[in-house]
Amino acid sequence: SRGVSVEGHLFDVTGMPFTRRVQQIIVDVASPAPKYESLGLKDETGTTDEGNGDEEMAPSSEITAAPSLRVEGWVKAKSKPALIFIPGFNSWLQHSLETFGQMIAMTQLAQNVYPILYEWPAAQVLTYRLASLMSASMNNRKNFLQLIEGLRSEGITDIHIITHSMGVQTLMAAFEDVDGAPSPVAKCFGPAPTLTGPHLSSGLENRLVCRSITLLNPDFPVAPFIERGFQTIRRVSSLITVVGDKGDQALFWSSLINGIFNRLQYSQPSPCDSRKTEAGFHFEHRVGRHIEEMCISAGSGSERMILRQTSIEKSIENASESNGEQDHWLDLDVIDTTGLDTNVNDLRHSAYNVNAILLRDIEEIIVTGKRASQRSSLLHRKGNVYEFCHAPSFVKM
């Protein structure tokens, strides 16, 4: 069978494949061997090869008469950003495609980004710690690097990244420093863009720009995230959002299981390894559940920690200091979804593809690039923590 693949065409709002009517499309399809005489091909003696259909075509004939497509009045599509989604634990390929596809279908993101799923060996229930180790394996890091380099080679310049649950461990492993230097994946990106644009300096024009990183219910220990994990992603993106739920049951069990594994001295991936050690059994706090811990204490000696820098966030930090709070908040936005009760199951771990309120906020992050303090659907609670301006179902008028 034969087919024609058209690359670079532009879909407009109506779904039509062209932005304007093209003047002419000409498709030349190779004919069977007996009809090649009409092409006027000549053999090595200079005579026209009439051919009777029984002889094999010369290699040069096959190349000369290859199928071709020519479009007159073509409109070249502008490159859109790429949206990379990294699913979580116990999410096989079909399930990941369905959930990611539903998230794209319930928003207008398809008009603004190229949706790309990065599927990694996410394992299943009885192999939780193995999945965590796989996320930091060299093969997984190389595969993610290959994806990033492939997007860059295809002309993509802007990248958005969304992770869910344990998918954040794949992201942290990819950006983990190597011998004190940025990882190969981090080197593909330029410095974190400002609110007005990337402004890449000379020699960095071929670097990618990471427009946003959104961590949905991240299954990642708090201590190593604050110690070094946050710094590795903040150097490439200035719009980092953590979406969490204090009632997340999946992350409760993750805290318990990881606490048991650590007590039994099972090995854990290097991105999740903390310099802080606690004697005996303890629950290992996870970023997606302990969302109000995204800060460092005053005088902790973490001079390299990147703190909130914009004028809006400085006013918040000053207000916290005036209230006697001694914490310095990380330069990221924390969205607390504990108050949401519409299309949120009892596990409270996977509402990102069904809850319309959360979906609209994710879409606004990607399309507009606004911080939480600038998005009208959110209310500031304290520090870098925000919640949705949405009344729970039990509220009566």
Side-chain angles (χ1 to χ4, degrees):
S1 61
R2 299 185 182 276
V4 177
S5 175
V6 180
E7 298 181 358
H9 65 276
L10 196 65
F11 285 91
D12 59 14
V13 179
T14 63
M16 300 299 291
F18 301 101
T19 55
R20 63 184 177 89
R21 186 183 301 276
V22 295
Q23 298 175 0
Q24 187 179 22
I25 299 179
I26 301 174
V27 181
D28 298 328
V29 180
S31 304
K35 298 182 180 181
Y36 269 75
E37 57 186 10
S38 61
L39 298 176
L41 300 176
K42 297 182 179 181
D43 57 18
E44 296 179 354
T45 61
T47 60
T48 302
D49 184 9
E50 299 293 340
N52 55 10
D54 297 330
E55 299 177 359
E56 294 184 358
M57 294 190 322
S60 59
S61 300
E62 296 179 5
I63 297 175
T64 305
S68 62
L69 170 68
R70 185 172 76 253
V71 180
E72 298 180 1
W74 188 257
V75 178
K76 177 64 177 177
K78 295 181 179 179
S79 177
K80 296 184 292 188
L83 172 60
I84 302 175
F85 177 67
I86 308 176
F89 171 69
N90 194 27
S91 183
W92 57 98
L93 178 59
Q94 179 180 348
H95 179 261
S96 300
L97 289 171
E98 290 172 350
T99 54
F100 185 41
Q102 184 170 342
M103 183 178 73
I104 297 298
M106 292 184 65
T107 62
Q108 301 296 321
L109 287 175
Q111 299 179 10
N112 299 281
V113 299
Y114 297 116
I116 297 173
L117 173 70
Y118 177 77
E119 183 70 20
W120 60 285
Q124 291 184 336
V125 178
L126 298 179
T127 53
Y128 175 87
R129 181 51 70 97
L130 177 60
S132 184
L133 294 172
M134 289 293 295
S135 68
S137 66
M138 290 306 300
N139 281 340
N140 197 34
R141 300 185 196 210
K142 290 179 181 178
N143 291 336
F144 191 78
L145 174 62
Q146 184 177 6
L147 169 63
I148 297 299
E149 291 178 338
L151 293 176
R152 182 173 60 178
S153 66
E154 291 299 323
I156 301 295
T157 57
D158 295 342
I159 301 290
H160 297 273
I161 301 176
I162 295 180
T163 71
H164 177 243
S165 190
M166 192 184 283
V168 67
Q169 297 189 26
T170 288
L171 179 69
M172 291 300 179
F175 281 93
E176 184 184 26
D177 290 348
V178 180
D179 297 328
S183 68
V185 171
K187 291 179 180 178
C188 294
F189 292 88
T194 62
L195 295 178
T196 57
H199 299 302
L200 295 181
S201 58
S202 178
L204 300 178
E205 290 81 1
N206 62 338
R207 300 282 188 93
L208 295 170
V209 178
C210 187
R211 291 295 178 183
S212 69
I213 296 177
T214 305
L215 312 178
L216 304 173
N217 304 87
D219 185 7
F220 196 85
V222 171
F225 181 81
I226 294 177
E227 290 170 4
R228 61 186 184 279
F230 170 68
Q231 298 180 55
T232 61
I233 59 176
R234 177 57 181 83
R235 68 162 63 106
V236 301
S237 179
S238 57
L239 180 52
I240 301 176
T241 306
V242 172
V243 179
D245 192 311
K246 290 184 287 187
D248 193 318
Q249 295 301 304
L251 295 186
F252 166 79
W253 291 108
S254 174
S255 299
L256 174 62
I257 293 173
N258 281 284
I260 295 174
F261 283 151
N262 295 340
R263 180 67 179 89
L264 298 176
Q265 298 183 347
Y266 281 91
S267 61
Q268 60 180 341
S270 56
C272 299
D273 191 11
S274 173
R275 292 190 292 266
K276 297 179 181 179
T277 57
E278 299 183 33
F281 168 79
H282 63 280
F283 280 84
E284 189 177 58
H285 290 187
R286 316 305 280 182
V287 172
R289 182 178 172 90
H290 300 84
I291 52 180
E292 296 184 352
E293 299 180 11
M294 299 296 100
C295 58
I296 59 174
S297 301
S300 62
S302 301
E303 294 82 1
R304 295 178 57 197
M305 182 59 60
I306 302 176
L307 300 177
R308 305 176 74 82
Q309 299 295 330
T310 66
S311 58
I312 297 176
E313 279 72 29
K314 281 183 178 179
S315 63
I316 294 174
E317 187 169 340
N318 293 335
S320 300
E321 292 177 354
S322 63
N323 293 331
E325 299 179 14
Q326 298 299 319
D327 294 331
H328 296 296
W329 304 95
L330 302 185
D331 188 15
L332 53 77
D333 298 325
V334 178
I335 311 301
D336 184 3
T337 62
T338 307
L340 296 182
D341 54 8
T342 304
N343 289 340
V344 180
N345 58 23
D346 294 337
L347 201 61
R348 304 197 65 85
H349 187 64
S350 303
Y352 65 91
N353 66 320
V354 291
N355 186 278
I357 299 174
L358 180 56
L359 283 167
R360 295 295 175 267
D361 192 56
I362 295 174
E363 181 179 8
E364 189 171 2
I365 292 173
I366 296 172
V367 175
T368 68
K370 292 180 179 180
R371 296 290 297 260
S373 57
Q374 301 170 317
R375 302 201 295 274
S376 59
S377 61
L378 298 172
L379 294 175
H380 176 246
R381 193 165 71 210
K382 71 171 185 177
N384 54 11
V385 182
Y386 296 79
E387 58 188 355
F388 288 105
C389 183
H390 170 71
S393 60
F394 59 81
V395 175
K396 303 294 184 181
M397 294 299 292

